Amino acid sequence: VEIVVTNLGDRLVHLRYGSEWNLNLLGGGRNPLAYYRVPDRALEDERLDSRGVLVDVAEVAAGNRGLGIEVRARLGQPATLWRFPVETLSSSEGGLERVYQGSCLLFQWPLVLPPGASWHVRLSWELHAL
């Protein structure tokens, strides 16, 4: 994916650009087989229904050993990564329950663009068999 942001206005802009990706690799219920992995980083909680923020991320993987698959995102420029579960609330006999729907990866970059200037980044996704 090639992303290009261009300031078509006549003023300097300061903004934060985000690219959101939602995956479902059956990672709910604290599934120990479903994980995040960031090269050369130790995650406090690597499970797909965990949440966290990492800065200067150039690559992240999400996988499920039980399914035998891993997807990897590689970024042309390091980003701040927010990761969190996508959940819905369901009403049951026991009350309100959170239901895991998937995992969200939100890559963010701070941008300062003068009039007419452009910024671009490339994201590539790969699917791997484990």
Side-chain angles (χ1 to χ4, degrees):
V1 177
E2 289 281 341
I3 299 168
V4 178
V5 178
T6 302
N7 180 357
L8 299 176
D10 58 0
R11 295 182 182 173
L12 179 73
V13 294
H14 296 262
L15 59 105
R16 180 170 286 277
Y17 177 81
S19 181
E20 179 179 333
W21 298 81
N22 293 286
L23 311 169
N24 191 327
L25 298 173
L26 305 180
R30 309 294 297 154
N31 182 350
L33 300 177
Y35 62 90
Y36 287 115
R37 183 177 57 75
V38 178
D40 303 320
R41 305 266 185 112
L43 300 178
E44 186 175 310
D45 187 348
E46 70 173 18
R47 293 186 180 148
L48 287 183
D49 55 1
S50 67
R51 54 186 77 235
V53 177
L54 294 170
V55 297
D56 293 324
V57 172
E59 179 180 331
V60 61
N64 185 315
R65 292 177 194 90
L67 298 175
I69 59 173
E70 180 178 271
V71 292
R72 295 179 197 148
R74 291 198 168 99
L75 312 171
Q77 296 181 38
T80 296
L81 168 63
W82 289 359
R83 59 183 172 82
F84 51 90
V86 177
E87 300 171 320
T88 56
L89 287 177
S90 177
S91 182
S92 70
E93 295 149 1
L96 291 178
E97 298 176 344
R98 289 178 186 247
V99 179
Y100 173 83
Q101 299 293 316
S103 301
C104 182
L105 297 169
L106 178 60
F107 304 108
Q108 302 173 56
W109 295 268
L111 304 182
V112 178
L113 294 174
S118 293
W119 171 86
H120 71 279
V121 68
R122 179 184 198 104
L123 278 80
S124 62
W125 287 91
E126 301 171 353
L127 177 62
H128 295 269
L130 299 177

